[in-house]
Amino acid sequence: MKGKTVGVLGGMGPDATVDFMASVIALTPAKRDQDHIRMIVDHNPQVPDRQEALRGDRSAVVGTLIDMCLRLEAAGADFLVMPCNTAHAFLNDVIAAIHVPFVHIIDETVGEIAKLQPASKKVGVLATIACVQSEGYQSAIAATGRRCLLPEEKTQFELMELIFRIKRGDKGTGVRRSMRRIATELMAQDADVIVAGCTEIPLVLGSADLDVPFISSTEVLARRTVALAID
Amino acid sequence: MKGKTVGVLGGMGPDATVDFMASVIALTPAKRDQDHIRMIVDHNPQVPDRQEALRGDRSAVVGTLIDMCLRLEAAGADFLVMPCNTAHAFLNDVIAAIHVPFVHIIDETVGEIAKLQPASKKVGVLATIACVQSEGYQSAIAATGRRCLLPEEKTQFELMELIFRIKRGDKGTGVRRSMRRIATELMAQDADVIVAGCTEIPLVLGSADLDVPFISSTEVLARRTVALAID
């Protein structure tokens, strides 16, 4: 297996990147090391805070992401992925500066809803505040003719706090239970699919926790990455 | 936290690299993404088979490793690590071509025995056949005045087969139990420390499995990486 080399803009957050890489490895049909996919990973947790940048000056984040993309290209990446939904809000300003394809996590994840759950009408999305404010999921879901359900404002703040707790390494039952409750509130509003639109969320929540189909943006991106790389 | 950027020669094997990255992240004192260490990882599982190369033509492996080092340097790595013990047998031919420090996993691991278990006299080493044949652990352990105990030839072949099974994704109780039995045989010969001298081994064996101290080369390298990066 030679295949394509994947460039990964990582570190946002660290555990989520490792989870993404583990998914790529697990999803690759392989019997020995050499059957696996080459990934060049810029695990850069020092990208400035995306939540803050979306409220104010975006330039530092945009500049850092472009720099990471160009380094990955120079290192041999055939296409790029970024296992962080929020950071995709900066993508329009980044794309113009790069020369290889960039696989968009939100577009891929929403595409997966239509493929896996064609009858779905209302999609519950768990994401960061900045990701919600940049409306990536809302517009992509609306384009498929579905409704996007989001937590109420107070719950959305609580969700953000849970995401920060996961980033601090807290993946215990307290966080898991609260995350499940927030998803359940969306199901009570008739969400027939729940999307983990933040790559921290699958670190604590899985299909077994919910009564409706659960779509992890991490896993969708990993599956797409494998398909493109071994093509 | 700015710190140093770590260059990781990875993919040998894939799960072991992810395990190493997860250890670095877990060992870093951090409250948010930005407190973590930047790692540029060339996760290249397509490095030719190290076991075969050490029996015959080393040049393809040496060439690939040099190329990976130079790409990581160009991408901004301040020092390099390689979470694969066997591949260190090629290091003498690689070092001359590079310009940043390379942290040697075997030297660090053996140094840790002296630090953590100063009274230890006989060190049991679990490693690949090629790693054993290249005598890295034997000479480093002898230099500390200790004896190095290795599995008998037939058991060493069995150990190699277990390592290949882990590389194929089999981390089940069968592999775990066999690995533990091999370690126990070394303890029956008075090994007072067991070293996982292959980064696949800590994926199935841990301190809790053994009655003597267990030193994981993955964890030693991760701890040293964190110390150097945040220095």
Side-chain angles (χ1 to χ4, degrees), chain A residues 36 38 42 46 71 75 167, chain B residues 36 38 42 46 71 75:
Chain A
H36 280 279
R38 186 172 191 175
D42 188 350
Q46 292 156 25
R71 280 175 200 237
K167 281 183 184 286
Chain B
H36 281 277
R38 186 172 192 177
D42 188 350
Q46 292 156 24
R71 281 175 200 237

Side-chain angles (χ1 to χ4, degrees), chain B residues 174-185:
Chain B
V175 172
R176 193 175 301 262
R177 209 177 304 135
S178 301
M179 192 65 83
R180 188 178 175 178
R181 182 179 42 73
I182 295 173
T184 308
E185 284 178 26

Side-chain angles (χ1 to χ4, degrees), chain B residues 3-143:
Chain B
K4 294 197 183 77
T5 296
V6 186
V8 182
L9 289 92
M12 302 169 276
D15 285 327
T17 297
V18 165
D19 186 44
F20 169 77
M21 292 174 69
S23 291
V24 168
I25 293 165
L27 290 166
T28 304
K31 289 220 180 316
R32 47 177 205 141
D33 286 0
Q34 289 76 15
D35 296 333
H36 281 277
I37 294 164
R38 186 172 192 177
M39 292 186 262
I40 301 175
V41 185
D42 188 350
H43 181 271
N44 183 8
Q46 292 156 24
V47 177
D49 188 293
R50 282 73 69 194
Q51 309 289 321
E52 272 178 34
L54 284 169
R55 285 194 298 267
D57 182 9
R58 303 161 57 98
S59 63
V61 173
V62 170
T64 304
L65 294 179
I66 290 175
D67 176 62
M68 290 168 73
C69 288
L70 297 180
R71 281 175 200 237
L72 290 169
E73 284 184 15
D78 294 310
F79 65 94
L80 300 174
V81 298
M82 178 163 64
C84 172
N85 289 271
T86 307
H88 280 68
F90 301 89
L91 209 58
N92 281 344
D93 298 327
V94 171
I95 286 287
I98 67 174
H99 316 89
V100 295
F102 199 113
V103 183
H104 195 295
I105 193 171
I106 297 177
D107 292 351
E108 294 296 331
T109 302
V110 173
E112 204 74 358
I113 301 167
K115 217 162 70 187
L116 293 182
Q117 306 297 331
S120 153
K121 290 197 168 65
K122 292 183 183 172
V123 181
V125 175
L126 304 176
T128 66
I129 291 174
C131 187
V132 167
Q133 285 173 343
S134 63
E135 300 196 343
Y137 271 100
Q138 294 96 309
S139 58
I141 289 171

Side-chain angles (χ1 to χ4, degrees), chain A residues 178-195:
Chain A
S178 302
M179 192 64 83
R180 189 179 173 175
R181 182 178 43 70
I182 295 174
T184 307
E185 285 178 26
L186 294 175
M187 284 150 58
Q189 295 171 51
D190 293 333
D192 49 25
V193 171
I194 296 291
V195 167

Side-chain angles (χ1 to χ4, degrees), chain A:
Chain A
M1 225 286 294
K2 182 68 188 73
K4 295 198 182 75
T5 296
V6 186
V8 182
L9 288 93
M12 302 169 274
D15 285 327
T17 297
V18 165
D19 187 42
F20 168 77
M21 292 174 69
S23 290
V24 168
I25 293 165
L27 291 165
T28 304
K31 289 218 178 319
R32 48 182 202 136
D33 286 0
Q34 289 76 17
D35 297 331
H36 280 279
I37 294 164
R38 186 172 191 175
M39 292 186 262
I40 302 175
V41 185
D42 188 350
H43 180 271
N44 184 8
Q46 292 156 25
V47 176
D49 188 292
R50 281 74 68 195
Q51 309 288 322
E52 273 178 34
L54 284 169
R55 286 195 297 268
D57 182 9
R58 303 161 56 97
S59 62
V61 173
V62 170
T64 304
L65 294 179
I66 290 175
D67 177 62
M68 290 167 74
C69 289
L70 296 180
R71 280 175 200 237
L72 290 169
E73 284 184 14
D78 294 309
F79 66 94
L80 301 174
V81 298
M82 178 162 65
C84 172
N85 288 271
T86 307
H88 279 68
F90 302 89
L91 210 57
N92 281 344
D93 298 328
V94 171
I95 286 287
I98 66 175
H99 316 88
V100 295
F102 199 112
V103 182
H104 195 294
I105 193 169
I106 297 177
D107 293 349
E108 295 295 332
T109 302
V110 174
E112 203 74 358
I113 300 168
K115 217 163 71 187
L116 294 182
Q117 305 297 330
S120 154
K121 292 198 167 62
K122 294 183 182 173
V123 181
V125 174
L126 305 176
T128 66
I129 291 175
C131 187
V132 168
Q133 286 172 343
S134 63
E135 300 196 342
Y137 271 100
Q138 295 94 310
S139 58
I141 288 170
T144 74
R146 293 176 174 80
R147 262 193 68 195
C148 176
L149 299 181
L150 297 162
E152 288 168 27
E153 195 176 349
K154 199 180 134 213
T155 314
Q156 180 66 53
F157 276 104
E158 192 195 346
L159 172 56
M160 193 66 233
E161 194 40 54
L162 291 176
I163 291 170
F164 281 129
R165 276 172 71 182
I166 301 170
K167 281 183 184 286
R168 284 196 295 272
D170 180 357
K171 286 163 255 172
T173 45
V175 173
R176 192 175 303 261
R177 209 177 302 135
S178 302
M179 192 64 83
R180 189 179 173 175
R181 182 178 43 70
I182 295 174
T184 307
E185 285 178 26
L186 294 175
M187 284 150 58
Q189 295 171 51
D190 293 333
D192 49 25
V193 171
I194 296 291
V195 167
C198 168
T199 53
E200 307 291 338
I201 294 172
L203 298 172
V204 300
L205 201 70
S207 291
D209 294 313
L210 301 175
D211 295 330
V212 302
F214 174 73
I215 295 185
S216 153
S217 55
T218 308
E219 205 192 320
V220 171
L221 187 66
R223 202 176 305 123
R224 186 78 181 123
T225 297
V226 172
L228 287 170
I230 66 180
D231 188 27

